[in-house]
Amino acid sequence: MNSELRAGVKTVEAALPQPVACRFCGAALSETFVDLGVSPVSNAYLSEEDLRRAEPFFPLHAFVCGTCFLVQLDEFQTPEQLFGQYRYFSSFSESWLRHAESYADAMMARFGIGARSQVVEVASNDGYLLQFFHRRGVPVLGIEPAANVARAAEEKGITTLVRFFGINTARSVTLMGKQADLLIGNNVLAHVPDLNGFVAGLKIALKPEGALTMEFPHLLRLIGLNQFDTIYHEHFSYFSLLTAAKIFARHGLRLFDVEEIPTHGGSLRVFCCHEGAGFAPTGRVGELIAREREAGLDRIEIYRGFAEKVRATKRELLSFLIEAKTKGAAIAGYGAPAKGNTLLNYCGIGTDFLDYTVDRSPHKQGLYLPGSRIPIFAPERIEKTKPDYVLILPWNLRDEIMAQMGHIRAWRGKFVVPVPKLEVL
């Protein structure tokens, strides 16, 4: 190869995207899990004025690490950009509030949490969970980076630190004398790009004999039930128990129990403690890891087959919508969740298919979905316009939504559930 040709090859190589490194183990990422094209940030809802401006779109390409099998996205925006001002308020879901209260009761009974204990929640949102401990006289501390959401927690009487969690915040909590007897993190582990720093902070914030519980969507369920729309920019990582156990162990935290729970389409609640703490392990950890191995989560082949399942779902949904609109049907959406924005943008669904969507949160009403630019109204809009179909975007809440909106049957309206497979109910 002559020198000019070699120079040309080097120039082309330099222009190609270089493999990103695994945020846990550092191995180069070359295996695609699923490529969902480009999409705006899922929680970047638009105002009327924003409609006159261009939106930034970023690659939504999930890789899987061939070494530790962590599924992950590259980082295109900082946590400050993603979560500095947030429009997701947990308290607007009745089923989530019931889940939170049940959790509080169970943890108080299991670990003897009471008035002499300290409960700390990372990513505490609007106080949806800590309020149940607070009402029972348990000292609580929330840590929440979104100032607008933290204000709602403060109004409930929940002391809240407005900052991102990591090693420095954990040290501050310790200096305040607020190390946790019970340390909680619900649906936050996926949101942190600095995974090792975050878990190292958890160890610092936990008392020597304290218990840590973390909840996160289960990768086994994501793959098995084709839940591709839970992939969006705010979720940097997607966990199996196999991989999560390695992450906690690296930072001196021992996983002593796990529960499979129905939230978010199927999640895990893991229980961790310091390596030397006296919590006896249960058999459920080993049993679930064995099931994951049997399902192939420790082999790359299972990850390579996911993308075609996603493409099939896209074709099925679009075929239904095209046929329904061709026949003159009116279609509305229910919900404005982040997962819905992934679905709509990946499938190319806008107001040509979906007339509008509705959401119970007043913080989203009057805005537009990112990318698709579908307007968001209050739920009463559905009764006024009487659509033929209601597409449920937060499919994990399908039962709650169908109960709330059962009156659409009066005009023979039907619900459409897109994931894990298309259902018209």
Side-chain angles (χ1 to χ4, degrees):
M1 185 182 293
N2 63 41
S3 60
E4 290 183 1
L5 183 56
R6 281 197 298 271
V9 170
K10 288 181 180 178
T11 301
V12 171
E13 287 177 346
L16 293 173
Q18 299 302 303
V20 292
C22 174
R23 63 174 40 91
F24 170 52
C25 73
L29 298 177
S30 59
E31 290 280 355
T32 290
F33 180 57
V34 65
D35 186 350
L36 299 174
V38 294
S39 179
V41 174
S42 286
N43 280 304
Y45 298 92
L46 306 173
S47 66
E48 192 85 34
E49 185 178 348
D50 292 330
L51 298 181
R52 295 191 290 271
R53 303 190 182 101
E55 290 177 73
F57 280 62
F58 304 96
L60 194 56
H61 188 158
F63 295 89
V64 57
C65 176
T67 301
C68 70
F69 300 105
L70 178 67
V71 172
Q72 58 204 281
L73 299 177
D74 200 2
E75 182 181 356
F76 292 98
Q77 286 200 310
T78 66
E80 288 78 10
Q81 291 171 312
L82 291 170
F83 304 112
Q85 287 287 315
Y86 208 43
R87 294 191 182 276
Y88 178 72
F89 288 70
S90 298
S91 293
F92 285 101
S93 170
E94 292 176 6
S95 61
W96 188 242
L97 287 177
R98 290 194 297 270
H99 172 76
E101 185 169 19
S102 174
Y103 167 88
D105 290 340
M107 296 307 105
M108 290 182 70
R110 178 170 183 174
F111 298 117
I113 301 298
R116 296 176 180 269
S117 307
Q118 178 68 57
V119 174
V120 178
E121 184 182 12
V122 178
S124 50
N125 201 262
D126 59 3
Y128 74 99
L129 171 58
L130 291 180
Q131 64 181 333
F132 296 112
F133 289 100
H134 179 64
R135 292 174 190 173
R136 293 158 173 77
V138 178
V140 298
L141 174 68
I143 302 170
E144 168 56 50
N148 62 317
V149 180
R151 280 194 294 274
E154 291 279 358
E155 290 170 3
K156 296 181 175 79
I158 309 301
T159 301
T160 306
L161 299 180
V162 182
R163 62 181 71 176
F164 286 93
F165 184 81
I167 291 173
N168 290 336
T169 298
R171 288 172 177 162
S172 296
V173 169
T174 301
L175 290 173
M176 293 166 59
K178 301 288 187 180
Q179 260 189 322
D181 295 284
L182 177 62
L183 181 59
I184 307 165
N186 286 347
N187 301 301
V188 61
L189 195 61
H191 289 76
V192 290
D194 181 11
L195 192 55
N196 287 306
F198 181 87
V199 178
L202 295 174
K203 180 177 173 62
I204 294 169
L206 185 65
K207 282 183 180 177
E209 291 296 325
L212 162 69
T213 74
M214 303 288 291
E215 294 181 14
F216 48 83
H218 191 190
L219 182 62
L220 182 64
R221 297 279 290 182
L222 188 156
I223 294 173
L225 295 178
N226 196 27
Q227 298 169 349
F228 70 92
D229 55 345
T230 60
I231 298 172
Y232 44 90
H233 296 105
E234 293 93 325
H235 283 175
F236 295 106
S237 304
Y238 306 81
F239 302 92
S240 64
L241 187 62
L242 275 162
T243 300
K246 293 176 185 176
I247 294 168
F248 290 119
R250 170 180 281 190
H251 298 284
L253 292 169
R254 175 171 60 86
L255 206 159
F256 66 89
D257 197 7
V258 62
E259 295 175 355
E260 295 177 85
I261 55 179
T263 56
H264 297 286
S267 296
L268 297 182
R269 176 186 292 153
V270 298
F271 295 77
C272 300
C273 62
H274 290 283
E275 286 179 345
F279 293 98
T282 71
R284 289 187 288 201
V285 175
E287 291 169 2
L288 183 51
I289 286 178
R291 279 172 43 208
E292 289 187 344
R293 292 186 189 279
E294 184 179 357
L297 293 189
D298 59 346
R299 301 186 299 275
I300 200 65
E301 290 75 19
I302 190 70
Y303 300 93
R304 289 174 176 162
F306 184 66
E308 180 51 38
K309 292 168 60 178
V310 173
R311 289 189 285 266
T313 297
K314 176 178 180 176
R315 292 190 291 264
E316 187 178 31
L317 177 58
L318 285 174
S319 294
F320 168 79
L321 293 174
I322 290 169
E323 182 179 358
K325 294 301 286 187
T326 299
K327 292 179 178 177
I331 308 174
Y334 189 101
K339 61 164 56 76
N341 291 324
T342 292
L343 176 79
L344 296 173
N345 282 289
Y346 172 63
C347 294
I349 297 168
T351 51
D352 48 349
F353 288 115
L354 214 59
D355 301 334
Y356 62 86
T357 192
V358 301
D359 199 276
R360 294 183 68 193
S361 173
H363 304 282
K364 296 180 182 179
Q365 294 165 10
L367 299 175
Y368 296 78
L369 298 180
S372 65
R373 302 194 166 197
I374 294 168
I376 308 167
F377 295 95
E380 291 75 22
R381 178 84 173 188
I382 287 179
E383 190 164 8
K384 290 179 182 178
T385 62
K386 296 180 170 52
D388 299 290
Y389 298 100
V390 175
L391 177 64
I392 299 178
L393 296 173
W395 44 260
N396 54 301
L397 301 176
R398 57 185 280 176
D399 293 339
E400 177 182 338
I401 292 166
M402 289 172 66
Q404 291 172 357
M405 304 300 296
H407 56 274
I408 75 167
R409 308 293 188 191
W411 61 83
R412 297 185 179 177
K414 295 181 179 180
F415 295 101
V416 180
V417 182
V419 175
K421 63 178 181 179
L422 184 72
E423 294 182 83
V424 181
L425 305 168

